[in-house]
């Protein structure tokens, strides 16, 4: 997603998050929870089991190998060979303690995790970190009625309206009053494809469906009333455990040209390597 951290007159937070799911080789037919058959794909690369190991972030600039292709068009939907009930049993809601860390550490750990609202389940494929004293973060102006959720305890949602059109979902990070969050930039559909397409007004299974923060908010049917909602509680909007990606891409955040140079150039955007479900621009992403 992209958090409007000041890129528009009405917003001063972040508006961009990148994440993707590994490409797949074979296509299968899978019945989703709403009894609609959808085409899904089998992962071509492995993911590690989810762990509580602290992510060691390498955010200093360095030379990287060849960037991800801007025109990459892998088959989009990952395969989940299970019913929604079995899926939820296997992927429990993340605890509150999961979020009580620096946003820069939380951001890559959110990749591969699942967002659920009712019959819709999305897998997070792209994110951006926004930290305290970050000139691209909404919290840089202090606590206001609008930005108060960013200063709440980690594990809550911060949803704001960007450009008067897009609902941007952020996951609050760190301790209370820290003023940090992670923007969800992109996701891949896991369950509820029909509902997602209806909310988006777009009948497609390609990454354009969810590659962008505003698209994620729309697919989940969010409004600013979801701000301060606890993502670690049952019901409503939940954040579930999921597989840790084997390889991660990093790059500078999107749409924050107004920020200080050190924050504009910081490699605080993260995405799942090899995934098609990543928003533009892709050429600025490099292997971690």
């Amino acid at each position: 997603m992209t958090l409007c951290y000041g890129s528009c007159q009405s917003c001063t937070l972040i508006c961009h998050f990148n994440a993707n799911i590994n490409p797949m080789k074979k296509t299968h037919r899978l019945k989703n929870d709403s009894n609609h058959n959808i085409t899904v794909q089998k992962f071509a690369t492995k993911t590690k089991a989810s762990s509580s190991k602290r992510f060691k972030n390498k955010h200093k600039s360095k030379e990287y190998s060849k960037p991800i292709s801007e025109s990459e068009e892998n088959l989009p939907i990952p395969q989940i060979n299970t019913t929604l009930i079995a899926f939820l049993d296997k992927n429990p809601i993340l605890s509150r303690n999961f979020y009580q860390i620096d946003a820069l550490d939380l951001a890559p750990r959110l990749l591969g995790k699942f967002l659920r609202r009712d019959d819709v389940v999305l897998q997070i494929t792209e994110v951006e970190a926004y930290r305290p004293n970050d000139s691209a973060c909404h919290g840089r102006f202090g606590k206001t009625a609008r930005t108060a959720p960013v200063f709440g305890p980690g594990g809550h949602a911060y949803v704001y309206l960007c450009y008067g059109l897009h609902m941007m979902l952020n996951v609050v990070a760190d301790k209370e009053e820290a003023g940090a969050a992670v923007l969800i930039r992109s996701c891949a559909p896991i369950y509820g494809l029909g509902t997602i397409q209806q909310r988006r007004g777009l009948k497609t299974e390609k990454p354009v469906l969810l590659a962008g923060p505003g698209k994620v908010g729309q697919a989940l049917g969010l409004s600013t009333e979801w701000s301060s909602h606890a993502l670690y509680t049952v019901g409503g909007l939940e954040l579930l455990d999921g597989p840790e990606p084997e390889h991660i891409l990093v790059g500078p955040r999107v749409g924050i040209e107004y920020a200080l140079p050190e924050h504009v150039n910081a490699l605080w955007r993260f995405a799942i390597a090899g995934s098609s479900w990543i928003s533009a621009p892709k050429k600025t992403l490099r292997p971690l």
Side-chain angles (χ1 to χ4, degrees):
M1 298 180 163
T2 297
L3 297 175
C4 288
Y5 281 73
S7 59
C8 62
Q9 295 181 352
S10 61
C11 300
T12 52
L13 190 61
I14 323 163
C15 272
H16 300 285
F17 270 80
N18 259 314
N20 254 297
I21 294 184
N22 293 331
M24 310 175 182
K25 291 183 178 179
K26 300 179 182 178
T27 59
H28 301 271
R29 301 298 295 181
L30 173 67
K31 183 172 287 188
N32 69 3
D33 53 290
S34 58
N35 296 319
H36 293 288
N37 287 327
I38 58 177
T39 300
V40 295
Q41 302 168 315
K42 190 173 183 180
F43 284 102
T45 56
K46 298 180 180 178
T47 56
K48 298 178 182 177
S50 178
S51 69
S52 59
K53 180 174 66 176
R54 185 178 180 85
F55 178 87
K56 296 181 180 179
N57 180 45
K58 303 174 183 178
H59 54 276
K60 293 183 179 180
S61 60
K62 61 179 182 179
E63 292 298 323
Y64 291 92
S65 59
K66 140 175 166 182
I68 186 170
S69 172
E70 192 75 44
S71 61
E72 188 175 9
E73 281 297 336
N74 296 317
L75 293 176
I77 301 178
Q79 178 178 343
I80 301 293
N81 289 312
T82 184
T83 64
L84 179 57
I85 293 177
F87 173 82
L88 296 176
D89 287 340
K90 184 179 179 181
N91 300 278
I93 296 177
L94 293 166
S95 70
R96 180 174 181 174
N97 291 335
F98 176 83
Y99 307 94
Q100 306 296 309
I101 57 176
D102 190 303
L104 195 56
D105 292 323
L106 178 61
R109 292 184 65 187
L110 286 173
L111 295 176
K113 301 301 186 285
F114 300 98
L115 286 163
R116 181 207 175 195
R117 184 185 175 198
D118 300 325
D119 67 323
V120 171
V121 178
L122 310 179
Q123 186 167 38
I124 299 172
T125 55
E126 181 188 359
V127 296
E128 288 179 345
Y130 292 84
R131 310 174 76 194
N133 302 316
D134 178 358
S135 60
C137 181
H138 279 186
R140 72 185 186 277
F141 294 125
K143 186 186 294 187
T144 65
R146 179 174 178 264
T147 65
V150 180
F151 292 89
H156 288 73
Y158 170 46
V159 182
Y160 69 91
L161 183 64
C162 180
Y163 297 118
L165 297 172
H166 309 297
M167 290 294 169
M168 316 297 277
L169 172 62
N170 301 264
V171 177
V172 178
D174 219 323
K175 307 297 182 183
E176 190 166 6
E177 300 300 329
V182 176
L183 172 67
I184 308 299
R185 276 196 61 84
S186 299
C187 290
I190 303 299
Y191 288 96
L193 180 63
T195 301
I196 295 169
Q197 292 173 333
Q198 182 179 28
R199 287 173 174 166
R200 289 279 294 112
L202 190 61
K203 193 72 173 179
T204 183
E205 296 178 11
K206 293 184 178 181
V208 67
L209 188 66
L210 289 168
K215 298 173 183 179
V216 173
Q218 188 177 24
L220 290 169
L222 299 181
S223 68
T224 54
E225 294 180 359
W226 285 95
S227 277
S228 298
H229 172 77
L231 298 169
Y232 49 80
T233 58
V234 177
L237 184 62
E238 305 166 350
L239 217 161
L240 314 177
D241 200 4
E244 178 183 339
E246 186 174 358
H247 300 292
I248 292 176
L249 302 175
V250 297
R253 294 170 294 180
V254 182
I256 59 165
E257 292 77 11
Y258 55 87
L260 296 175
E262 61 263 36
H263 296 144
V264 170
N265 298 321
L267 304 182
W268 293 354
R269 178 188 177 197
F270 304 88
I272 298 179
S275 171
S276 299
W277 299 85
I278 300 177
S279 65
K282 296 181 181 179
K283 291 182 179 180
T284 58
L285 293 168
R286 300 291 187 276
L288 179 63

